Amino acid sequence: MISEETPGFGISGGEQAAMASVPAERRPQRTPTDIRRVFLAPSQEEAVPRVASLRGFARPQASPASGILELGLAITGLGLLTFMLLHMGLLSSLLLGEKTMNGLASFLGRYYLRQVVTPVLVVVIIAHVVLALRKVPSSLQQQRLLLERGRAMLHLDTLTWGLQMVTGLTLAGLVSIHLWVVLNDLPTRAAKSAARVQEQYLWFFTPLVVAVFIHMFIGLYRICVKWGVSRGWPLRGAVVALTAVAFGMAAVITAVLYRLEGGS
C-alpha cells in the first residue's frame, strides 16, 4: 500500500535525487489531498505534462484558445457533413429519373447557388484540414508510439481516431482531384456523371466514397462524445446504422449511374 512517505511517490527522478540530500524532517510531506489529486483527479499542471513526456507526445495545455480551435473543428466538420448530405440528396434525385437530377442541377446553376457554395466549400475544407492537422502526430516517433499503443490497448475509440486520421489524410488528396474534375466539367448532368463512373473514374470514386463516409461518421461520433451530446453503445449503434444506410445509398446510386444509357 502506498503511503505519504513512499519514496518517489508522484515525483520525477530528478526531484528524487534533489530530495535525497535533504534531511527527512525537512522534506515536504504528501497530504491525503495530494494523494487523491495525483491518483483520482490529476491536474493538468502536474500530471498531464509528465505523462505526455513519458509517452513522447507534446500534449498542449488546456486554454481558451484550444477550446475555440476544437469548436472550430467541430463546426467545420458539421458543415462538411451537411454539405455531403445535400450532395447525396442531389445524386439521389437520379433515382427519380435523369430529368429530375438535370433539373435540380440546372436550378442550382440558374440561381448562382453553385457559384456561391463552391468557394465557401473550399474555404471550409481548408479550415477543417488546418484545424485537424494540429492533432496529427507529426514525427515518426509519435506515429510509432501511436501504433504501439493502439495495438496494445485495442481500445475502440482510439482505433477509430486512428482510422479517422488516416481517412482524413487520404481525403485531402482525393477530394482535391474530385473537385478539379467536376468543376472543369460543368454544367452538371446525369450523363456526364454516368460517363465518369462507367470509365476509369469508378476506381477513383469507390475509395473516395468509402473514405468520406468512414471519416464523416466517425467524426460525428467523436463530436457527440466530445461535446457531451451522447456516448456509449447507443451512439455507436446509431453511427453504424447511419453509415450502413449511407453506403447502401451510394451503392444504389453508383449502380444506376453505371447502367445509365448515354453515359459512354
Side-chain angles (χ1 to χ4, degrees):
M1 180 176 181
I2 298 176
S3 65
E4 298 173 19
E5 292 79 16
T6 302
F9 168 72
I11 60 176
S12 65
E15 291 170 332
Q16 293 181 44
M19 289 179 63
S21 60
V22 180
E25 62 274 9
R26 296 180 57 187
R27 295 177 186 174
Q29 298 297 317
R30 294 282 182 171
T31 66
T33 302
D34 295 325
I35 297 173
R36 287 194 298 270
R37 184 170 65 247
V38 172
F39 276 96
L40 300 181
S43 65
Q44 292 179 330
E45 291 77 12
E46 293 182 4
V48 172
R50 187 172 301 139
V51 174
S53 62
L54 289 175
R55 294 182 179 178
F57 287 89
R59 183 175 176 177
Q61 297 286 341
S63 66
S66 64
I68 293 174
L69 293 176
E70 285 295 328
L71 181 60
L73 181 63
I75 291 175
T76 54
L78 290 174
L80 293 175
L81 186 148
T82 302
F83 169 80
M84 276 304 305
L85 294 178
L86 295 175
H87 187 55
M88 285 291 294
L90 171 62
L91 295 176
S92 298
S93 65
L94 181 63
L95 303 179
L96 301 177
E98 184 177 351
K99 291 183 179 179
T100 303
M101 178 178 173
N102 290 339
L104 184 55
S106 298
F107 171 82
L108 296 177
R110 185 183 311 118
Y111 292 97
Y112 302 98
L113 297 177
R114 182 178 58 238
Q115 292 85 339
V116 172
V117 170
T118 299
V120 174
L121 175 64
V122 172
V123 171
V124 173
I125 290 175
I126 294 174
H128 188 71
V129 170
V130 171
L131 291 171
L133 282 177
R134 71 187 232 281
K135 305 177 68 175
V136 175
S138 56
S139 68
L140 292 177
Q141 180 189 16
Q142 292 177 345
Q143 295 167 9
R144 177 178 57 81
L145 288 171
L146 176 63
L147 292 175
E148 291 177 355
R149 299 297 188 273
R151 285 195 297 262
M153 295 171 58
L154 294 179
H155 185 254
L156 180 61
D157 287 358
T158 302
L159 295 175
T160 53
W161 178 80
L163 183 58
Q164 189 188 27
M165 179 182 64
V166 171
T167 54
L169 294 174
T170 303
L171 287 173
L174 295 181
V175 170
S176 301
I177 297 173
H178 179 65
L179 287 175
W180 178 264
V181 171
V182 173
L183 294 178
N184 280 278
D185 195 22
L186 295 175
T188 302
R189 290 293 182 268
K192 292 182 179 181
S193 299
R196 289 195 293 268
V197 170
Q198 292 169 10
E199 297 173 359
Q200 297 86 354
Y201 198 73
L202 178 63
W203 304 106
F204 172 87
F205 180 74
T206 302
L208 172 64
V209 171
V210 171
V212 164
F213 286 154
I214 290 176
H215 187 83
M216 183 170 67
F217 288 113
I218 290 178
L220 178 61
Y221 166 77
R222 293 182 62 81
I223 289 173
C224 291
V225 172
K226 184 179 298 183
W227 295 96
V229 178
S230 179
R231 63 182 64 225
W233 286 107
L235 174 61
R236 293 168 183 169
V239 169
V240 170
L242 288 173
T243 306
V245 171
F247 274 117
M249 287 295 298
V252 171
I253 293 170
T254 302
V256 172
L257 288 172
Y258 195 79
R259 296 172 180 270
L260 188 65
E261 295 182 1
S264 58

